[in-house]
Amino acid sequence: MELKTLNEIEIISAPHSKISEVDFENLTFGNVFTDHMLVCDYVDGAWQKPVIEPYAPFMIDPSAKVFHYGQAIFEGMKAYKDEQDDVWLFRPDENYHRFNKSATRMAMPEVPEDVFLGGLHRLLEIEKEWVKKGKGNTLYIRPFMIATGHGVIAAPSQEYRFMIILSPARAYYSGEVRVLIAEHFSRAANGGIGAAKAAGNYSAQFYPTKLANEQGFQQIIWTDDATHTKLEEAGTMNVFFRINDTIYTAPTSERILDGVTRKSVIELAQRENIKVEVRSVLVDELVAAAKDGSLKEIFGAGTAAVINPIVGFSYLGEYYELPKLENSVALEIKEKLTNIQYKLAEDTFGWTVKI
């Protein structure tokens, strides 16, 4: 796809840049933000003229619907800089379409393509110096929308604010990850909002994840809400299981997010003649594979970490450590995927978009 710069936009430049004050070698993920942000309000049934302005707090009514009824959605994307100093996005159309699916599910207005993608293009043109070269360096992109209409009646807001903020990031290392398979808590339920990038999905995970952390586990592998027998997602990521030489992952549904990295892993694995099956994986199946040695790898896939290997899991009080592999399929796929993102390998899929 081709991104077109949005011309109908007001630009208010920051009086000075804070880029010289940032230690790009020691970044905490999501804590430092660039000089500018994009803001576009929805008022009287129409989107207003977007503005790129200095990054700063803003005023909001205490009765805004976002505080009381949780109308808030977001996306996670990244920009990359190649060795020629060109800036690239990775499958931004997927994030745009998913954002509007989330908006529809949360009774929020869809954001026009020229505001979301065109506005992002213009913002990245302004902030391109914040995208550093070198594999592992990225600019994390957070588009989001909140309900700003006032009043505490339980009804959808009539006013909204769409924003894009940018945060420089280094390679995401989380150390060895061991997970607890959920026996009681659920991430999402049929008929709910699990497939939407709704803010409430993530806050609902914090408590059971806190309990898992207290037991020495970094994350939870979520199971289906009805029977807790089907493996669904790992923390905030889609999850894959390698049993013998086949990779398995759950199909997307009302409970499972349609991850952009997930799609890319599947397509890339298929190109490399790695067998992939998209089907429900049972907890009992995973335990049996761990016991007989056919379970080789478990890994999460998402924007922040790209691919995050999982070294072991616990279920019903019993812990299973995975084998140490010299040739990890997960890390092989991660290498090939990140090489495409950083333009170190040919993009045969047409996934990358130049700014």
Side-chain angles (χ1 to χ4, degrees), residues 98-301:
R98 189 174 64 183
F99 188 87
N100 278 338
K101 287 181 181 177
S102 298
T104 298
R105 181 60 184 86
M106 298 298 290
M108 304 168 85
E110 292 189 5
V111 176
E113 184 175 356
D114 64 339
V115 174
F116 189 108
L117 293 176
L120 174 58
H121 190 158
R122 190 73 186 93
L123 182 61
L124 288 173
E125 286 179 337
I126 292 170
E127 303 286 58
K128 66 180 300 184
E129 294 306 313
W130 287 84
V131 193
K132 298 302 181 182
K133 283 195 296 191
K135 200 168 184 182
N137 294 316
T138 61
L139 187 64
Y140 184 77
I141 302 164
R142 173 52 62 91
F144 65 100
M145 178 164 51
I146 60 172
T148 52
H150 70 277
V152 294
I153 185 172
S157 176
Q158 298 301 306
E159 297 180 1
Y160 297 88
R161 171 162 287 193
F162 170 71
M163 300 182 67
I164 303 177
I165 56 177
L166 309 173
S167 177
R170 295 276 290 168
Y172 190 94
Y173 297 111
S174 57
E176 291 192 337
V177 175
R178 291 173 171 83
V179 298
L180 188 66
I181 293 181
E183 301 165 31
H184 171 70
F185 292 104
S186 300
R187 195 196 81 86
N190 283 332
I193 59 171
K197 288 279 284 187
N201 283 343
Y202 294 78
S203 59
Q205 296 184 49
F206 294 160
Y207 175 67
T209 302
K210 174 178 176 289
L211 297 181
N213 294 161
E214 290 170 354
Q215 296 180 57
F217 299 96
Q218 286 70 46
Q219 279 294 352
I220 293 174
I221 290 185
W222 305 101
T223 50
D224 68 290
D225 63 301
T227 67
H228 293 290
T229 61
K230 299 174 183 177
L231 299 157
E232 303 213 315
E233 293 191 334
T236 59
M237 307 175 81
N238 295 114
V239 66
F240 291 78
F241 309 93
R242 178 188 164 202
I243 299 175
N244 290 319
D245 291 324
T246 301
I247 295 175
Y248 299 89
T249 193
T252 56
S253 68
E254 290 180 316
R255 303 186 306 275
I256 297 176
L257 189 70
D258 188 10
V260 178
T261 307
R262 173 189 176 276
K263 288 180 179 178
S264 306
V265 167
I266 291 171
E267 293 177 52
L268 190 52
Q270 290 170 336
R271 189 193 72 178
E272 298 298 314
N273 295 315
I274 299 168
K275 189 176 180 182
V276 180
E277 288 191 23
V278 179
R279 67 164 176 83
S280 294
V281 179
L282 301 179
V283 179
D284 288 347
E285 184 181 359
L286 188 73
V287 170
K291 287 180 176 178
D292 68 22
S294 60
L295 177 62
K296 305 302 183 185
E297 298 181 78
I298 305 174
F299 58 95

